[in-house]
């Protein structure tokens, strides 16, 4: 069965903290990897794609370990506005015609 | 910035009725998708659509569901005879279909409530 598993959370952190989320996926043939964020009752918004070499976008760093089938997201200097549910998402089949498999998400709450 | 749009934002219908959910994908995108999210659960894939035909569909997408691209801009999801368990948020997504990562962008969703 194709699955994406995430830390259950919730993560409650103070402003300025560094927080890390982890995710594992079951299908070793998976091609594309993403982190989305979802605010309450809103749509998933693409946060970043995850590349084999790892990538960074401002305060956000994503890592991919294909051998361990493991993806991570690091958020540095947390802001109140980072409070959301973070979804680990994998395109199992590759290509545009492949569907996205979502994890259940990890809820982050950043407190003043 | 181009966005996926969806209408209506909320649809209430009685069990057994037909509903059509509408989406306008990002204009230069070629690949279209429907997903659903039951309250409190994870987002689930329903169907993908390319070149005027279904590319892939999930087990959820049974004979009660259909999709159509009636013109150059709209992409619709029809549920023929709604059931209580169809109550969910339905998200449309689109992708430009460019390698290497084929990013999908989601619309704001239609909340379907079946009574």
């Amino acid at each position: 069965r194709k699955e994406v598993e995430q830390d259950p959370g919730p993560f409650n952190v103070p402003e300025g903290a560094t927080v890390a989320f982890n995710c594992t996926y079951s299908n070793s043939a998976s091609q594309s990897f993403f982190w989305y964020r979802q605010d309450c009752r809103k749509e998933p918004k693409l946060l970043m794609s995850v590349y084999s070499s790892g990538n960074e976008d401002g305060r956000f760093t994503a890592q991919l370990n294909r051998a361990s089938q493991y993806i991570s997201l690091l958020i540095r200097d947390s802001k109140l506005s980072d409070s959301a549910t973070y979804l680990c998402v994998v395109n199992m089949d590759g290509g545009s015609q492949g569907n996205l498999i979502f994890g259940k998400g990890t809820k982050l709450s950043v407190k003043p | 910035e181009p966005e996926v749009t969806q209408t209506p934002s909320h649809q209430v219908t009685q069990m057994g009725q037909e509903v059509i959910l509408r989406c306008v994908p990002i204009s230069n995108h070629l690949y279209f998708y429907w997903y659903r999210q039951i309250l409190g659960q994870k987002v689930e894939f329903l169907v993908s659509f390319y070149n005027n035909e279904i590319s892939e569909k999930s087990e959820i997408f049974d004979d009660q569901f259909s999709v159509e691209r009636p013109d150059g801009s709209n992409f619709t999801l029809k549920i023929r005879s709604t059931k209580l368990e169809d109550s969910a948020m339905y998200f449309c997504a689109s992708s430009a279909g460019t390698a290497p990562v084929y990013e999908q962008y989601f619309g704001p969703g239609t909340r379907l409530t079946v009574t």
Side-chain angles (χ1 to χ4, degrees):
Chain A
R1 183 172 175 166
K2 301 175 180 177
E3 293 284 352
V4 175
E5 301 291 337
Q6 293 187 241
D7 282 349
F11 285 61
N12 298 305
V13 302
E15 266 187 294
T18 295
V19 60
F21 303 134
N22 305 311
C23 166
T24 57
Y25 59 94
S26 61
N27 188 344
S28 60
S30 300
Q31 300 294 316
S32 306
F33 310 90
F34 310 92
W35 284 100
Y36 281 75
R37 68 169 278 168
Q38 187 175 32
D39 294 285
C40 189
R41 293 180 176 255
K42 299 287 189 180
E43 76 272 26
K45 286 188 185 291
L46 180 64
L47 182 64
M48 57 198 307
S49 303
V50 187
Y51 301 103
S52 294
S53 55
N55 47 303
E56 186 174 313
D57 183 3
R59 298 181 293 109
F60 299 85
T61 300
Q63 297 281 346
L64 168 64
N65 184 323
R66 284 187 183 269
S68 302
Q69 294 177 210
Y70 172 94
I71 308 162
S72 66
L73 176 69
L74 184 76
I75 306 176
R76 289 180 298 277
D77 188 23
S78 302
K79 311 289 185 194
L80 296 177
S81 58
D82 293 333
S83 296
T85 297
Y86 288 81
L87 308 176
C88 179
V89 183
V90 177
N91 184 332
M92 291 287 189
D93 301 313
S96 290
Q97 295 171 5
N99 68 83
L100 298 181
I101 305 295
F102 283 76
K104 289 183 179 178
T106 301
K107 187 171 181 180
L108 172 65
S109 181
V110 181
K111 306 291 186 184
Chain B
E1 184 175 322
E3 293 179 333
V4 177
T5 60
Q6 291 186 244
T7 54
S9 57
H10 191 190
Q11 174 88 46
V12 181
T13 189
Q14 289 189 322
M15 197 167 51
Q17 295 297 303
E18 175 183 287
V19 293
I20 297 176
L21 310 183
R22 292 182 165 79
C23 168
V24 178
I26 294 172
S27 62
N28 63 340
H29 283 187
L30 302 175
Y31 297 83
F32 315 118
Y33 314 84
W34 284 101
Y35 292 82
R36 79 169 187 190
Q37 186 175 30
I38 295 170
L39 188 63
Q41 299 188 22
K42 61 183 177 181
V43 178
E44 300 174 290
F45 169 76
L46 294 178
V47 65
S48 59
F49 190 88
Y50 170 71
N51 201 24
N52 282 321
E53 60 183 25
I54 290 173
S55 308
E56 188 175 352
K57 59 184 180 180
S58 71
E59 293 172 351
I60 303 167
F61 194 88
D62 61 22
D63 292 343
Q64 292 300 311
F65 291 86
S66 62
V67 289
E68 193 179 30
R69 185 142 163 90
D71 53 42
S73 60
N74 289 284
F75 178 51
T76 62
L77 174 70
K78 181 192 289 187
I79 309 175
R80 262 181 274 283
S81 178
T82 50
K83 303 188 280 284
L84 292 176
E85 53 265 37
D86 293 329
S87 294
M89 195 75 160
Y90 288 81
F91 295 109
C92 174
S94 70
S95 169
T98 51
V101 289
Y102 307 106
E103 294 169 346
Q104 295 183 23
Y105 295 89
F106 284 72
T110 293
R111 180 167 301 283
L112 177 65
T113 302
V114 182
T115 62

